[in-house]
Amino acid sequence: MPTVTGDTADFSPLRLIMLDLDGPDAEDASPSAHRRARVLVRRDGRPVGVVDVPLEGGLLAPAEVEKIRTRFAGVRVPGPSDYAAGLPPVTVVIATHDRPSDLRRCLESVAAMGHPDFKVVVVDNAPSSDSTAVMVARDFPEVSYVREDVPGLAQAHNRGLELVTTPVVAFTDDDVVVDRAWASRLASHFARDPSVGCVTGLIWPAELETHPQALIDAHGRCSKGFSPRRFDLADDRPPDPLFPYTAGQMGSGANMAFTLDALTAVGRFDPALGAGSVGRGGDDLAAFFDVVSAGYAVVYEPAAVVHHLYRREYDDLRAQARNYGVGLSAYLTRVVSRKPAALLDMVRLAPRGVRHLMQSETYPPAVPAASSHQLRRLQLLGMALGPIAYARSRWAVRAALDGAGP
């Protein structure tokens, strides 16, 4: 099995800064030991681009700020009035597994949201202790807590949905910090357009302090750009002939919201998919695919920002690449199992699919070629295992739900 270590000689930690062209110069002006920064440039809170810049004494120099302001001076975005009125109530569902410290940080950010009407549900998935339950009850008494002993992210999300009574439900991960306007930016599209069944948002790293974190950021490609996009099977169908099988272009599971009606119509999440299950992932891809296939639109809204804390170690990087591959082909296997005619499409489109995979895994110059090749091999290995993993996962879930155990 390929081992990813990479050449760290040229790597230096990146300070992450957000610069709002209509607000203060930067969110954090305190000195640091960083030599470089990655700046998320915003206008009225909406991301418009990203730049890497040198730092002086760990700080963003006024001259660099002025360069950024000049570069993005002509960018215009919709104002707050486009999303602030008539927002529907939202329930935020957060699945967690043995990470109470991460969950605390996530819940603190959710509690600070500016959305006018929201609830929070924590799903404790196959916990090894009661530490999460104790922490939530003690420090966040307003949060609804439920335990789900069958492992798997999709199974946990479905358990959380049993407590949802609002028309919109948003999902994020326990190792995420959400922006104050996150839920409002997501919910705004449901308020404006009843044909929208799902809205996704931009995922930004919470830190880039280690080489594995930088590689995860390059490999994960959780940011889908800085322009809103709409996806459906009619007028807003992308020109990509692989759509809607290439569901990853619509968003990622750490930052997604649905109408409860849309999720109910498609049968909710497939419990044989998702982190923690034998299927390893693909639960978000399957949900996006199902919603679009049912006639709803999916909207990508980059102004709905969450900050994802990537794991710091190479073992985590290797696991992510392999699990992504398993989850991707497990999701595609699930599509075929439910719609056998899709197999003909996939065979016909296979050459395009291979090219799409290679192009989507093109890494930036800062990523050593050896590391990118190793990650790609791990992903391909995972893809080879995905069909069997999905079949095993379906059996394991049925056995667990019947009380027999896997």
Side-chain angles (χ1 to χ4, degrees):
M1 181 177 295
T3 299
V4 180
T5 55
D7 181 5
T8 62
D10 295 327
F11 173 77
S12 62
L14 279 163
R15 182 173 188 173
L16 296 170
I17 296 175
M18 282 183 285
L19 174 67
D20 198 316
L21 301 178
D22 301 309
D25 281 350
E27 285 193 341
D28 184 359
S30 60
S32 75
H34 295 83
R35 293 179 293 166
R36 299 184 301 144
R38 180 158 295 166
V39 182
L40 182 63
V41 184
R42 303 213 246 190
R43 168 142 275 162
D44 186 34
R46 301 184 64 94
V48 295
V50 59
V51 291
D52 286 1
V53 297
L55 296 176
E56 295 181 9
L59 295 173
L60 188 58
E64 293 294 340
V65 173
E66 190 56 36
K67 288 180 185 177
I68 295 171
R69 289 188 181 279
T70 299
R71 176 175 173 179
F72 292 94
V75 176
R76 294 291 178 265
V77 298
S81 60
D82 288 339
Y83 74 90
L87 296 175
V90 174
T91 298
V92 179
V93 174
I94 307 164
T96 187
H97 173 72
D98 290 347
R99 294 200 292 215
S101 295
D102 286 346
L103 178 62
R104 175 192 295 277
R105 184 169 51 246
C106 178
L107 288 173
E108 288 173 347
S109 69
V110 170
M113 292 192 310
H115 194 74
D117 187 355
F118 69 92
K119 302 176 182 178
V120 184
V121 174
V122 166
V123 184
D124 204 357
N125 190 208
S128 62
S129 73
D130 65 351
S131 59
T132 295
V134 170
M135 185 274 290
V136 172
R138 182 188 63 229
D139 300 332
F140 300 93
E142 72 283 2
V143 170
S144 298
Y145 169 94
V146 63
R147 176 172 173 145
E148 172 53 60
D149 287 322
V150 177
L153 185 57
Q155 180 69 23
H157 283 167
N158 285 340
R159 183 71 176 93
L161 284 170
E162 295 176 9
L163 280 67
V164 174
T165 57
T166 57
V168 172
V169 54
F171 298 89
T172 194
D173 292 346
D174 58 3
D175 55 354
V176 154
V177 169
V178 307
D179 265 17
R180 189 172 186 276
W182 171 64
S184 296
R185 298 287 193 179
L186 293 173
S188 65
H189 290 277
F190 301 117
R192 287 199 298 260
D193 187 349
S195 71
V196 174
C198 173
V199 183
T200 66
L202 186 147
I203 299 175
W204 184 250
E207 65 174 27
L208 291 176
E209 295 295 324
T210 70
H211 189 233
Q213 286 180 322
L215 290 173
I216 288 173
D217 187 50
H219 178 260
R221 301 194 173 276
C222 292
S223 169
K224 310 301 178 183
F226 303 105
S227 298
R229 296 186 65 192
R230 178 186 167 96
F231 304 87
D232 60 31
L233 295 180
D235 294 341
D236 292 298
R237 181 173 188 143
D240 176 9
L242 297 171
F243 185 84
Y245 304 118
T246 50
Q249 65 183 287
M250 292 185 274
S252 299
N255 189 351
M256 60 184 183
F258 300 82
T259 63
L260 190 58
D261 285 347
L263 274 182
T264 301
V266 301
R268 304 193 174 190
F269 296 96
D270 186 340
L273 297 172
S277 73
V278 180
R280 304 290 181 90
D283 53 312
D284 51 350
L285 304 180
F288 302 151
F289 176 88
D290 288 349
V291 167
V292 163
S293 298
Y296 295 94
V298 174
V299 172
Y300 169 68
E301 174 51 80
V305 181
V306 303
H307 308 258
H308 195 181
L309 182 63
Y310 301 138
R311 303 297 105 180
R312 288 172 160 243
E313 306 300 329
Y314 282 108
D315 284 346
D316 300 308
L317 170 64
R318 289 189 286 268
Q320 174 168 309
R322 186 171 182 269
N323 290 345
Y324 179 83
V326 173
L328 176 59
S329 59
Y331 144 68
L332 293 173
T333 301
R334 183 249 193 196
V335 170
V336 171
S337 71
R338 296 193 173 200
K339 185 183 177 183
L343 181 60
L344 297 177
D345 278 345
M346 292 184 188
V347 171
R348 177 175 56 85
L349 295 169
R352 289 179 181 268
V354 172
R355 289 197 299 272
H356 171 81
L357 180 63
M358 295 301 103
Q359 291 168 358
S360 67
E361 293 302 319
T362 299
Y363 293 85
V367 177
S371 295
S372 63
H373 294 157
Q374 291 159 1
L375 290 171
R376 187 175 292 115
R377 287 199 297 271
L378 281 167
Q379 181 175 322
L380 291 173
L381 173 62
M383 289 185 67
L385 300 173
I388 295 174
Y390 182 66
R392 290 180 56 228
S393 190
R394 288 183 64 179
W395 177 85
V397 168
R398 284 198 301 268
L401 292 176
D402 289 342

